[in-house]
Amino acid sequence: MVIEAGSIFDWYGYLDSKGFVEHSKKKRRNMPDEYINAVCAFDIETSSFYQNDRKVAIMYIWTFGIYDKIVIGRTWEEFVELLEKVSEILHTDKNLRLICYIHNLPYEFQWFRKWLTWEKVFATAEREPIYALTTDGIEFRCSYRLSGYNLE
């Protein structure tokens, strides 16, 4: 795992010290009490090729950005470890959530859905999630569906 600007614990402390917790008014029974007010995004790069006449697809790098810090990894185990540490340091749970935006969540969700434990997934159709909440309070949202704009 490659981490920009110091160790992983340095930037967790940095985020925690900046007071990135924003209180929200609880309007419905299942809404969280608070959100972490930090820009957070996730992206993967994938490739496919033929191996013994069979098409194979792989994820070869992922990037997780929170506020102005970037973490780059190559395995799903590293990604799971990162999310566990983020949740532990920022104390996220169902009442305190970190929202992480993914452009085209339906595609990328298929790559990591089996690696995490899910509290709730809201989808408009099969394999079309709009948001997905882990049991640790990390909420992935589809920025494409929310904005309506492609990456161009």
Side-chain angles (χ1 to χ4, degrees):
M1 201 174 338
V2 178
I3 301 169
E4 176 191 287
S7 78
I8 196 165
F9 294 106
D10 289 343
W11 66 263
Y12 286 138
Y14 171 77
L15 286 173
D16 202 29
S17 71
K18 293 288 185 182
F20 286 115
V21 176
E22 182 176 285
H23 295 273
S24 63
K25 293 188 179 186
K26 197 170 183 177
K27 297 176 186 168
R28 291 186 295 267
R29 180 172 27 103
N30 59 349
M31 285 188 65
D33 295 326
E34 299 173 308
Y35 289 96
I36 305 291
N37 187 19
V39 176
C40 182
F42 177 72
D43 188 34
I44 63 172
E45 298 301 326
T46 63
S47 184
S48 63
F49 54 91
Y50 285 93
Q51 182 179 36
N52 300 328
D53 296 327
R54 196 182 97 184
K55 191 169 186 175
V56 178
I58 59 166
M59 179 278 302
Y60 60 90
I61 194 165
W62 57 259
T63 305
F64 181 88
I66 184 166
Y67 195 59
D68 61 350
K69 306 300 177 199
I70 307 295
V71 181
I72 299 168
R74 296 211 177 263
T75 67
W76 289 116
E77 291 87 357
E78 290 174 331
F79 179 60
V80 170
E81 179 185 354
L82 172 73
L83 292 182
E84 287 171 352
K85 288 180 181 179
V86 167
S87 179
E88 178 184 328
I89 300 300
L90 296 178
H91 309 291
T92 59
D93 58 21
K94 68 179 183 176
N95 291 315
L96 174 62
R97 295 184 191 171
L98 174 66
I99 297 174
C100 182
Y101 290 96
I102 300 176
H103 211 69
N104 196 8
L105 176 62
Y107 175 76
E108 299 195 14
F109 184 74
Q110 299 311 312
W111 287 89
F112 67 82
R113 65 186 169 86
K114 293 182 180 178
W115 287 94
L116 301 172
T117 307
W118 302 101
E119 179 76 27
K120 181 179 182 180
V121 176
F122 178 76
T124 55
E126 186 176 358
R127 296 191 177 124
E128 291 289 327
I130 294 176
Y131 74 85
L133 174 64
T134 68
T135 54
D136 291 334
I138 310 291
E139 185 176 320
F140 296 98
R141 291 188 184 177
C142 182
S143 59
Y144 178 70
R145 289 293 298 263
L146 291 170
S147 70
Y149 289 102
N150 63 25
L151 289 175
E152 293 175 4

